[in-house]
Amino acid sequence: MSCCTIFGIAGLGYSLNDLSDREEDRKAGKFNLFLSLGTPGTMALMLLCGGMAVLPWLFYFPRGWSTLGLLGIELLLFMLYSLPPFRFKERGWWGVLCDAGYAHAVPAVLAALTFFYLGNRQFDQLWPFVLLLGAWQGMVGLRNILLHMASDLEKDQATGVRTLAVRLGAGRVG
């Protein structure tokens, strides 16, 4: 069930991002599955990923305000990062924070809480642990997205995508 939801959530995030980057990727000559998939294929892939992401929560994982709330935040961050009119990936630090959240902090906290609830154990320090885990993974995520933006700098400059690295230069983010 963990692999199912992980693949579904990741697939949905990558799909939303590539779907919103079609025009930029076409200009750059970069492979993008959504340039050739068509509407029926796009819908099928999005439904498959969305289903894989959510089904374990309907049939196996414990559902509560914290786990379902985090799952919702994860999906919201994907949309804020990629889709217009928000498209945080082109809004400087908003994009960096959004990516660090959906790629590292939220999944780590969601996994920790899910497996804590599955274990049905008592742990008096759960919330301090979860907050520390989220902060740590958020910092890891910040570093990773900044390095990723620095490595994509030339492509983003060529296609006109205004990431933080484009604004500040690779030396200041990587």
Side-chain angles (χ1 to χ4, degrees):
M1 290 293 128
S2 292
C3 288
C4 181
T5 197
I6 289 167
F7 292 144
I9 290 169
L12 194 56
Y14 282 109
S15 294
L16 281 173
N17 194 45
D18 276 1
L19 186 62
S20 66
D21 284 351
R22 287 175 298 188
E23 190 56 33
E24 290 88 356
D25 290 347
R26 186 189 61 72
K27 287 178 187 175
K30 180 180 171 192
F31 173 77
N32 185 320
L33 179 65
F34 293 100
L35 289 171
S36 59
L37 201 52
T39 301
T42 298
M43 295 297 288
L45 182 59
M46 299 300 273
L47 286 172
L48 174 67
C49 291
M52 288 177 66
V54 172
L55 284 176
W57 299 97
L58 297 176
F59 299 110
Y60 181 70
F61 288 139
R63 294 177 305 276
W65 68 268
S66 57
T67 54
L68 293 179
L70 286 166
L71 191 58
I73 289 169
E74 179 78 3
L75 299 175
L76 176 65
L77 289 174
F78 285 149
M79 291 185 280
L80 290 173
Y81 184 79
S82 300
L83 301 176
F86 307 103
R87 199 149 163 83
F88 282 3
K89 75 185 293 179
E90 293 185 358
R91 299 194 188 277
W93 284 103
W94 287 110
V96 171
L97 294 171
C98 197
D99 185 281
Y102 77 65
H104 291 271
V106 173
V109 171
L110 178 59
L113 286 175
T114 299
F115 286 103
F116 171 75
Y117 295 139
L118 277 173
N120 201 20
R121 304 269 183 188
Q122 184 66 28
F123 180 48
D124 293 337
Q125 300 299 314
L126 175 65
W127 291 106
F129 168 75
V130 165
L131 291 173
L132 184 60
L133 174 67
W136 168 50
Q137 285 298 299
M139 292 298 157
V140 170
L142 287 174
R143 182 67 179 150
N144 285 350
I145 187 57
L146 290 172
L147 289 172
H148 178 82
M149 284 181 172
S151 71
D152 276 356
L153 179 64
E154 289 181 22
K155 179 192 79 74
D156 290 339
Q157 287 173 327
T159 59
V161 177
R162 304 245 332 129
T163 64
L164 186 66
V166 169
R167 292 180 185 168
L168 299 178
R172 294 191 59 203
V173 295

